[in-house]
C-alpha cells in the first residue's frame, strides 16, 4: 500500500469516528426534544345566588319592611279591620318561606290576628273588615302568637309573589284596662334557598 492510501484510510477511520460521535450526539439531542409538553385548562366563573324577599302593597314590592295599612288609633272592643300584604321573592333563587308573628304587651295579647293565604278584603273599613278566606296562621284574642316554630307557607320562585290578607280584631269583652294602650303587630317573613 502506498502512503497516500494509508493516510486516506486513517483519515477515513477518523472521519467515520467523528461521524459516529455526531450520530450519538444527534440521538441525545432528539431524546431531549421528545420531552415537549402541553397544557389544557378548564374554568368556570360562578356567582352565588341571592335570597331577598320584600313586602308591600302589590307585586312591585322591593322593600324589606312594610307598614300594614290598618288603623293605628282609637280601637275599641268589637272593632276589626283587614288589609292586604304582598310578599315578593326579589332574589335570584327559588325559596321556601314562612311567617312568624309578634304582638307584645297586654293590648297585643288581647288582639286576635289572622293571616290568610290569598283571598280579598271584605269591608276593609275600620269597623268590620275581614278576609274572604279562612286564616292559615292565627293568634286568638287573649293569647300570643305560637313561638315554637315559624308557620311554613310553601315555596316561592325567583321573581314570584304571594298575597296575604291580614285580619285584626279586638274581641268584645276586652277589659277597660286596655284603654290607651298600644302594640305593634309584626309579621316576619323568612326565606331559605330550595336545593
Amino acid at each position: 500500500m502506498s502512503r497516500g492510501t494509508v493516510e486516506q484510510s486513517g483519515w477515513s477511520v477518523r472521519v467515520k469516528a467523528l461521524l459516529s460521535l455526531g450520530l450519538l450526539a444527534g440521538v441525545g439531542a432528539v431524546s431531549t426534544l421528545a420531552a415537549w409538553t402541553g397544557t389544557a385548562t378548564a374554568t368556570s366563573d360562578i356567582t352565588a345566588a341571592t335570597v331577598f324577599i320584600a313586602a308591600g302593597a302589590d307585586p312591585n314590592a322591593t322593600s324589606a319592611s312594610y307598614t300594614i295599612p290598618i288603623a293605628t288609633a282609637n280601637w275599641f272592643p268589637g272593632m276589626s279591620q283587614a288589609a292586604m300584604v304582598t310578599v315578593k321573592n326579589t332574589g335570584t333563587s327559588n325559596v321556601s318561606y314562612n311567617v312568624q308573628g309578634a304582638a307584645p304587651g297586654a293590648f297585643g295579647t288581647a288582639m286576635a290576628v289572622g293571616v290568610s293565604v290569598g283571598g280579598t278584603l271584605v269591608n276593609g273599613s275600620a269597623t268590620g273588615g275581614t278576609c274572604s278566606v279562612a286564616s292559615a296562621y292565627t293568634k286568638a284574642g287573649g293569647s300570643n302568637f305560637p313561638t315554637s316554630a315559624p308557620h311554613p307557607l310553601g315555596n316561592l320562585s325567583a321573581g314570584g309573589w304571594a298575597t296575604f290578607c291580614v285580619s285584626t280584631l279586638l274581641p268584645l269583652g276586652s277589659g277597660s284596662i286596655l284603654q290607651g294602650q298600644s302594640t305593634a303587630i309584626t309579621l316576619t317573613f323568612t326565606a331559605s334557598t330550595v336545593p
Side-chain angles (χ1 to χ4, degrees):
M1 283 175 118
S2 69
R3 181 178 172 114
T5 305
V6 172
E7 285 182 289
Q8 189 167 8
S9 88
W11 178 81
S12 175
V13 169
R14 282 193 300 268
V15 169
K16 286 181 185 176
L18 287 173
L19 287 174
S20 296
L21 287 175
L23 182 61
L24 289 176
V27 169
V30 170
S31 66
T32 302
L33 294 178
W36 289 1
T37 60
T39 58
T41 304
T43 62
S44 178
D45 294 329
I46 60 173
T47 302
T50 59
V51 175
F52 184 80
I53 55 175
D58 56 45
N60 297 316
T62 58
S63 176
S65 63
Y66 175 66
T67 301
I68 301 170
I70 290 177
T72 58
N74 300 322
W75 279 78
F76 53 86
M79 180 176 166
S80 66
Q81 194 173 29
M84 299 300 293
V85 175
T86 298
V87 175
K88 183 175 183 179
N89 179 358
T90 59
T92 60
S93 178
N94 296 340
V95 297
S96 63
Y97 70 124
N98 55 54
V99 63
Q100 180 76 54
F107 191 61
T109 300
M111 296 287 295
V113 181
V115 179
S116 302
V117 180
T120 57
L121 297 178
V122 176
N123 188 16
S125 68
T127 54
T130 60
C131 298
S132 65
V133 295
S135 298
Y137 177 62
T138 61
K139 179 193 102 51
S143 67
N144 293 312
F145 278 103
T147 57
S148 58
H151 180 76
L153 296 170
N155 295 331
L156 200 56
S157 61
W161 68 87
T163 57
F164 298 90
C165 184
V166 180
S167 61
T168 55
L169 166 70
L170 183 59
L172 289 171
S174 296
S176 291
I177 195 169
L178 298 176
Q179 293 183 60
Q181 293 193 24
S182 62
T183 190
I185 298 171
T186 304
L187 299 174
T188 303
F189 296 89
T190 303
S192 302
T193 55
V194 175

